[in-house]
Amino acid sequence: MPRLATSLALGAALLLSACFQDSKAEIAQKAENASTADELRSALGDPDELNKAGPIEEWIYDASDGTVRFPILAGKVGPMVTGDKREK
C-alpha cells in the first residue's frame, strides 16, 4: 500500500509540473544566445502561436506572467518583446 501512495503522489507531482509555464525572464534566459530560428526552436521548442506577414514571422511564447515575442526575418531572430498575458 505505501508503494501505491508513493506512486500516486509522484504521478500527481509530475502532472502538476507540466502545467506550470516559464516566466518571461526564464524564457528570455533560455533564448539569450539564439540568433537563428533553428537555435530558438532548440532552446524553447515550437512557439505557442506563429504569425506570418510576408517574409516576417512572429513567434509568440506564453509565459506565466505574460508573453514573449520574437520577430524572425530570413531565419534570423530579431529583438525580443515582452507583453502582458493574452486574452483568451
Side-chain angles (χ1 to χ4, degrees), residues 40-49 59-61:
L40 187 62
R41 182 174 276 119
S42 180
L44 299 176
D46 290 328
D48 295 306
E49 184 177 333
W59 292 16
I60 302 171
Y61 292 89

Side-chain angles (χ1 to χ4, degrees), residues 2 5 9-10 12 17 36 40 43 46 56 59-60 68 73 75 83 87-88:
L10 181 58
S17 68
T36 67
L40 187 62
D46 290 328
I56 300 173
W59 292 16
I60 302 171
V68 182
L73 178 61
E87 300 269 335
K88 291 190 179 185

Side-chain angles (χ1 to χ4, degrees), residues 7-79:
S7 295
L8 288 174
L10 181 58
L14 288 173
L15 272 175
L16 284 175
S17 68
C19 295
F20 295 111
Q21 294 177 320
D22 288 339
S23 69
K24 292 186 287 189
E26 290 168 326
I27 290 172
Q29 183 178 12
K30 287 179 181 179
E32 185 175 23
N33 295 319
S35 61
T36 67
D38 288 339
E39 291 172 347
L40 187 62
R41 182 174 276 119
S42 180
L44 299 176
D46 290 328
D48 295 306
E49 184 177 333
L50 174 63
N51 296 322
K52 292 184 179 187
I56 300 173
E57 295 182 352
E58 179 185 44
W59 292 16
I60 302 171
Y61 292 89
D62 293 327
S64 60
D65 55 349
T67 59
V68 182
R69 299 168 184 263
F70 296 92
I72 310 287
L73 178 61
K76 301 293 182 188
V77 178

